[in-house]
Amino acid sequence: MAGYTKADYDTAYSIRVLVPVPGKPNNFKRSPIRLHYHRVTMEATIRSRWDRIVSILGIASADKVVVVGAGYGWGVERLIELTSCQAVGIDISDYINSTKDGTEEAEIDAAIIAAGFDPASGHGLEVRNVAYTAELKSKKPVLKNDLSTNKARNDVKKEFGNTEPTWIITEDMLTDFSDAEIAVWKSEAEKLTTTKICHVLRENYPPNSKTAEDWNATTGHKIIALGSYRVVG
Amino acid sequence: MALPTTVVAQGNDAGHHPPFKSSAGNFYVVAMNSVDDLIVMRATDPTDSWTESDALNNPSGQTTTVYSAIQQGDLLHIASYRDNVEDYVYSQFDMAGNSDAGLWGTGSDKEQTIEAPTNAPTNPWISIAVRSDGDVVVVYAGDTDAVMGGDKERVDVNVRTSGTWGGPTALGDTGGTDPFDTTDVHYGNPNCVKASDSDDVHIIYAFTGNTADPPTTWTHGCVRTLDSADSLSTQVNSSAVGVDIGTALNGRQNGVSFDNAGSQVTRFCAARAPSSSGLGVVDMLEEDGSGDMSFESTASQRWAEVTAEVKVNGEVGICTLVNLGPDLHILWSNGDDTDDIWYVSSTDTGDTWSTEAQELDAVACNFISANIYQRGDQLVLAYVYDDGGTTKYNEKNLTTPSMTNLDDATLTGLVNSHVGPFEI
């Protein structure tokens, strides 16, 4: 299957920027300017998510974790902060891989302009000051990889000193796969025979789709349901 | 004629918009006409007949789906959601005088845009409060965000000062890492009420981490206070006790706030769930010592349950709450009793309740909203309700033997001892 394009990310993530109000520490104005898959809008959410995942799975410093569908690897950053484990993110998106070594500056400015504001003055500058830092999009390695070939799996093993990872964790990804695609991916990923596999996903989304139990039955793997953090398997 | 009377042969809709009494002694109901435009119906004797006021100047072309109204003297402040335009608007109606001419607001006082969300909320909702200086505060289901392709419901507060809306300020999500504060959650069904002793506005709304779009259930209540300088307090969550309204996405209805032995208390009514086991609840909030609201410190007192089912119409809980000092009065549509109207009261701020009893039989109640005022020599719990698609008016006499033959000033003082939708 294809990875997300920039257009896919912009559609899937569309969040009005929250602008602090001076002198009112609990007040945040909702700007009409929307950002997308950017640190200011999603990093805190992903960090909070990984706080829960680490606790649920008991990941420790000796673990070697590959995060599948890692995006820019903000979850990998948090995972390493919490556990000091070895971790690497993988994502097959051409958009992620072509932009991960740059900053968010151009995209933020473009979003501000698209909303009818000037990034250099007024409210546009106010939002830019909230949203933009000079940080690189990815501060941890993110490989273009999906574990679906021997080479792909060997490339991941190289990140861990030519040993298999202890965990494969797919992050908010599995619901984009068809059952046939899942079956193929599963058979390839399980060639890492000593690796445990867990899928973090949205159950019942889209509506009336699979529950965590259904996903567990489909994959035979542990499932963590986002939101409730219900664990199956 | 006798009560109940027909206000308008048209159904009523979601939101809190009880009957009102003007200084001239007339009675008004904000209703909808056959094309879902807002209208105001007026009666000199609500037991007799109702006619539309200022029919030529009502806001039109609205397809209203939810609206809330509150009284400030003879002025009605009305906030509504227009489904055809997908925006929230504000209007005024002046109850002064007996004339039907020129009573709707004009210019920016008529159909003034509060906000036009780019991405409409799945379950629109708006609640309104008015301050002593005329500033208007609304809380509403606002512009949704999107995370991983699914809409995330949001709630906002907005304040009208000197005729201008200041723009949405986020309630709920403020982008932190606390599970209640991240982007990948829903907020909804906000309601507000002005404090009885200040221009603070107390706000309650619902939260869930449920990732469905729209969410299938709320899991927690959240409380904040907007002070008179428009600063929000820190969000307080009901996580310890799970004070939630379950699967009714707009189950929570109006609130009241009053002084209880020197401390502010706030109460909101809610329908907990639409199922056969659904219960009505009253959220019990208390002042935390700094003027802000929090959930009652004693866990067992954080909500009171009405044991009969409170019916839900779509996603909207059919119940209403009014106070008179520490006395609370609730009317609701009882799903266990063919949706007839039932009543329960408390004389101790909600700690204990009377025996629930049927108030009105043989109705199919789809909406209800209540107020308390003096009519003649009686103190009445006045309410409008939708009976199978017709808006009707009825009263429950609250006058006790000790209240008979009281002079007007004393009766007025009793009414003035509460702050609900009615202010003198």
Side-chain angles (χ1 to χ4, degrees), chain B residues 81 86 117-124 141-144 151 153:
Chain B
Y81 182 78
E86 293 186 341
T118 304
N119 301 319
T122 305
N123 294 290
D143 202 354
T144 62
D151 286 342
E153 307 297 324

Side-chain angles (χ1 to χ4, degrees), chain B residues 100-114:
Chain B
D100 277 349
L103 298 181
W104 278 101
T106 59
S108 63
D109 294 335
K110 178 181 177 181
E111 291 185 296
Q112 181 189 40
T113 300
I114 298 171

Side-chain angles (χ1 to χ4, degrees), chain B residues 18-32:
Chain B
F20 299 101
K21 179 186 170 187
S22 72
S23 62
N26 297 309
F27 302 87
Y28 295 82
V29 171
V30 184
M32 295 193 301

Side-chain angles (χ1 to χ4, degrees), chain A residues 37 70-74 77 95-96 99-100 137-139 142:
Chain A
Y37 193 69
Y72 290 120
W74 301 326
E77 292 175 25
Y95 164 67
I96 292 291
T99 58
K100 64 186 172 68
K137 289 190 173 190
S138 289
K139 294 193 285 188
V142 178

Side-chain angles (χ1 to χ4, degrees), chain B residues 12-15 125 248 250-254 269-274 279-281 306 308-321 330-335 338-343 363-370 383-388:
Chain B
N12 214 315
D13 219 318
W125 191 259
N250 278 330
R252 186 170 280 114
Q253 299 301 309
N254 70 294
C269 65
R272 175 163 273 169
L279 305 173
V281 297
V306 172
E309 179 191 352
V310 177
K311 183 190 170 189
V312 173
N313 184 2
E315 299 296 341
V316 179
I318 309 172
C319 53
T320 187
L321 168 68
I330 299 177
L331 293 163
W332 75 97
S333 176
N334 187 338
T338 62
D339 310 337
D340 291 334
I341 296 173
W342 280 58
Y343 168 80
V363 296
C365 180
N366 300 307
F367 165 83
I368 192 164
S369 189
Y383 56 98
V384 288
Y385 62 100
D386 177 316
D387 181 3

Side-chain angles (χ1 to χ4, degrees), chain B residues 129-153:
Chain B
V130 60
R131 290 174 165 152
S132 60
D133 60 0
D135 280 3
V136 180
V137 178
V138 294
V139 293
Y140 54 99
D143 202 354
T144 62
D145 289 329
V147 175
M148 203 50 190
D151 286 342
K152 294 298 175 182
E153 307 297 324

Side-chain angles (χ1 to χ4, degrees), chain A residues 172-212:
Chain A
D172 209 358
M173 184 201 78
L174 207 65
T175 48
D176 286 336
F177 281 61
S178 67
D179 283 357
E181 288 170 329
I182 290 170
V184 169
W185 183 87
K186 170 181 157 71
S187 70
E188 294 297 328
E190 288 178 348
K191 291 176 181 176
L192 294 167
T193 57
T194 64
T195 304
K196 293 172 286 189
I197 301 177
C198 174
H199 306 287
V200 180
L201 50 74
R202 293 161 199 279
E203 60 175 340
N204 298 315
Y205 181 77
N208 301 318
S209 62
K210 294 183 178 181
T211 66

Side-chain angles (χ1 to χ4, degrees), chain B residues 63-104:
Chain B
T63 318
T64 302
T65 54
V66 60
Y67 61 103
S68 291
I70 194 166
Q71 177 177 9
Q72 181 186 31
D74 279 328
L75 190 62
L76 296 183
H77 300 270
I78 306 163
S80 62
Y81 182 78
R82 305 190 297 185
D83 190 57
N84 57 334
V85 185
E86 293 186 341
D87 65 352
Y88 291 99
V89 293
Y90 166 80
S91 299
Q92 291 181 355
F93 186 92
D94 188 356
M95 299 186 293
N98 290 318
S99 168
D100 277 349
L103 298 181
W104 278 101

